[in-house]
Amino acid sequence: MMKGANVAVPMSAVRIELGWQSGPGVPDADASALLLVSGKVRSDSDFVFYNQPAHASGAVRYEGKQQGPVVLDTLSVNLAQVESQIDAIVIAASSDGGTFGQFNGLYVRVIDASNGTEVARFDSVGAATETAFVLGELYRRQGAWKFRAVGQGYASGLAGLATDFGISVDDAPAPAASPAPPQQFTPPQPPPAPQQQFAPPPAPPQQFVPPAPQFAPPPTYSAPTPPPYPPQAPDSAPTPPHSPQQPPAAGPSGAPINMSKIALTKESPSISLTKQGAIAGTMRVNLNWTISAAPSGGGLFGRNRGGGTLDLDLSCFFELADGRIGSVRALDRSFGALDRPPFIRLDQDDRTGTSSTGENLDINLDFTAQFRRILVFASIYEGATDFRGVQATATLYPVNSAPIEMTMDGCTDNSRDVVLAHIENLNGEFVVRRDGTFVRPPGGRPGSGIREIAQMYGWGFQFQASSGKG
């Protein structure tokens, strides 16, 4: 598509794919969406991005990132579910660790969610010092949806872009942290109401690794207001203008949007969800992975199904407050539930390794008091003989808190399982702790790592042979 062109979007649900070529010196980027009424959000809840991954209506979700030669960041949009007063959904991107002039092959695609057919594609070119972009928009015209290629850049980052559409962003300086390793997270001191803080990405360009959340305070942006959207294509009627020069729409409520991320590392491995005020709603645990070398072979039983693609399984053991133990695991045919014990659900099993959303566990934090401990781990089902050359990233998405990321790599032996995180109720305080232990199968038995994990961490399970995922 050319900049300013539009195309009809007749299907009821689409996937929005932001992509770019990875490589040395290429920053990371994040997709986001703003649901607009006459060019402005109604409130901060109309902003969907990595730190607020689902719209209240359920119509728009931030699905997460897939690393690889082409990095993909994905949103899902159920157009049939979009509230009637919403007339446009802006699709934006923000850079993390550099400018869009450092990107190669940046594009946005609209894909039919039902069959994967490409509906529209816009390749963004000519970027320089911009740190945020409006790449396109879905908009209603006479009851039907269309997509327009936009390509408008912002030098003020995601905060500037969001503010122009009426989002309230807290850009006050972060409180000083005590001496600690560079990636240690120090929660802000709690005021009477939860206060979240925005901090810009670090200046040196680098490929994405879960970023350190301690940064210098952002400068006050005083660059000229970005120009209005490009001219509309002749076959479309005028769209209510997006007017950055207008003051933010009145009415956004609640604490300002938090655009930071939290990285758990070996040096700074834990964080209290209770102190973050994130002990309600459904917390998603997402697993994504990338391979730095060709998979080392044959899969669980010497097979290499799926053309060598790596299939990791995200699973957990749980212990409830009443002493009951169990697992949520595809191989156990135990997918859990959110509205009854264990209050944990396996959202999907990515059996190909090609899903842009990876694998997901959902945990219902409304039942925090019912949990004693949860052990989250990942296992190789097929596509590689062990974790050497594999980088696995687990990201937790608590409601009303920054995403919590932890990356596991550096395996040097024949481990086929890795313990990702402990989630524990410690005297009423809900704490997440990164683990990162690679677990070797005992006695050279490839499928025995789960038994080893249970023994290492004190779960008294009685195991039975599994017939696979079917």
Side-chain angles (χ1 to χ4, degrees):
M1 295 179 66
M2 298 294 292
K3 187 174 180 178
N6 63 68
V7 64
V9 183
M11 57 286 306
S12 61
V14 295
R15 201 168 70 247
I16 308 296
E17 181 182 279
L18 171 67
W20 65 93
Q21 297 175 15
S22 64
V26 178
D28 190 35
D30 296 295
S32 57
L34 298 104
L35 289 75
L36 308 182
V37 178
S38 299
K40 293 288 184 180
V41 299
R42 297 164 300 179
S43 72
D44 290 353
S45 64
D46 285 338
F47 186 25
V48 177
F49 71 122
Y50 55 77
N51 200 18
Q52 192 165 269
H55 191 259
S57 67
V60 182
R61 291 187 66 94
Y62 173 73
E63 298 288 358
K65 192 167 298 177
Q66 181 181 18
Q67 301 288 338
V70 175
V71 185
L72 303 177
D73 207 18
T74 309
L75 299 156
S76 63
V77 183
N78 187 337
L79 295 170
Q81 201 172 336
V82 176
E83 298 156 292
S84 58
Q85 61 266 45
I86 298 296
D87 52 45
I89 302 172
V90 164
I91 308 302
S94 56
S95 63
D96 186 356
T99 69
F100 278 104
Q102 298 168 261
F103 283 75
N104 294 314
L106 180 68
Y107 69 86
V108 63
R109 288 204 307 160
V110 180
I111 302 166
D112 187 337
S114 66
N115 57 25
T117 301
E118 181 177 290
V119 180
R121 175 175 175 136
F122 172 54
D123 292 273
S124 180
V125 296
T129 61
E130 296 90 346
T131 51
F133 257 95
V134 173
L135 293 170
E137 66 170 347
L138 292 160
Y139 64 98
R140 293 187 203 260
R141 184 63 67 241
Q142 298 178 345
W145 285 96
K146 290 188 174 186
F147 175 79
R148 176 182 292 113
V150 177
Q152 174 181 313
Y154 286 70
S156 51
L158 183 59
L161 183 153
T163 300
D164 281 345
F165 288 101
I167 298 294
S168 59
V169 175
D170 182 5
D171 57 359
S178 58
Q183 289 189 318
Q184 183 166 350
F185 174 79
T186 302
Q189 295 297 316
Q195 181 72 25
Q196 299 171 327
Q197 298 188 342
F198 165 74
Q206 58 183 11
Q207 190 168 356
F208 176 68
V209 177
Q214 298 292 339
F215 303 104
T220 301
Y221 174 61
S222 59
T225 300
Y229 279 9
Q232 301 173 25
D235 62 339
S236 67
T239 296
H242 304 285
S243 177
Q245 297 182 4
Q246 298 176 0
S253 58
I257 291 287
N258 180 357
M259 297 182 185
S260 62
K261 297 181 184 179
I262 299 168
L264 298 187
T265 66
K266 292 179 181 179
E267 297 79 14
S268 178
S270 64
I271 187 171
S272 168
L273 294 179
T274 303
K275 291 179 180 177
Q276 293 293 302
I279 52 172
T282 299
M283 177 175 72
R284 171 153 290 194
V285 181
N286 171 261
L287 175 68
N288 253 299
W289 57 90
T290 185
I291 307 172
S292 60
S296 51
L300 186 58
F301 302 109
R303 297 179 292 126
N304 195 8
R305 189 175 71 189
T309 55
L310 177 62
D311 181 5
L312 296 187
D313 281 347
L314 179 64
S315 311
C316 77
F317 296 153
F318 63 83
E319 181 179 2
L320 300 181
D322 60 10
R324 283 180 290 173
I325 63 173
S327 67
V328 176
R329 182 170 174 250
L331 278 173
D332 295 338
R333 304 292 199 276
S334 176
F335 292 89
L338 288 177
D339 58 348
R340 59 187 183 277
F343 311 111
I344 306 169
R345 183 184 64 195
L346 182 62
D347 180 67
Q348 72 174 45
D349 176 32
D350 176 14
R351 299 177 58 178
T352 67
T354 59
S355 170
S356 63
T357 60
E359 297 215 349
N360 300 284
L361 278 170
D362 291 331
I363 303 174
N364 190 345
L365 297 184
D366 290 335
F367 295 92
T368 299
Q370 302 296 321
F371 294 113
R372 183 171 294 167
R373 57 175 178 155
I374 304 168
L375 186 72
V376 183
F377 57 92
S379 307
I380 294 174
Y381 180 68
E382 63 181 2
T385 56
D386 53 56
F387 266 99
R388 282 174 283 197
V390 177
Q391 181 183 81
T393 299
T395 307
L396 282 60
Y397 293 94
V399 177
N400 297 325
S401 177
I404 302 167
E405 297 180 333
M406 54 199 87
T407 297
M408 317 296 165
D409 56 11
C411 179
T412 58
D413 55 30
N414 64 335
S415 296
R416 293 182 57 86
D417 303 273
V418 59
V419 178
L420 300 171
H422 304 256
I423 305 173
E424 300 172 291
N425 191 334
L426 302 176
N427 299 318
E429 184 174 359
F430 219 49
V431 175
V432 176
R433 176 165 55 87
R434 178 190 186 274
D435 190 302
T437 300
F438 290 99
V439 180
R440 302 177 64 186
R445 300 190 301 274
S448 301
I450 302 302
R451 298 171 185 259
E452 191 74 2
I453 292 174
Q455 182 177 350
M456 289 169 60
Y457 292 92
W459 258 273
F461 289 118
Q462 298 296 320
F463 286 92
Q464 297 179 350
S466 171
S467 60
K469 294 191 281 189

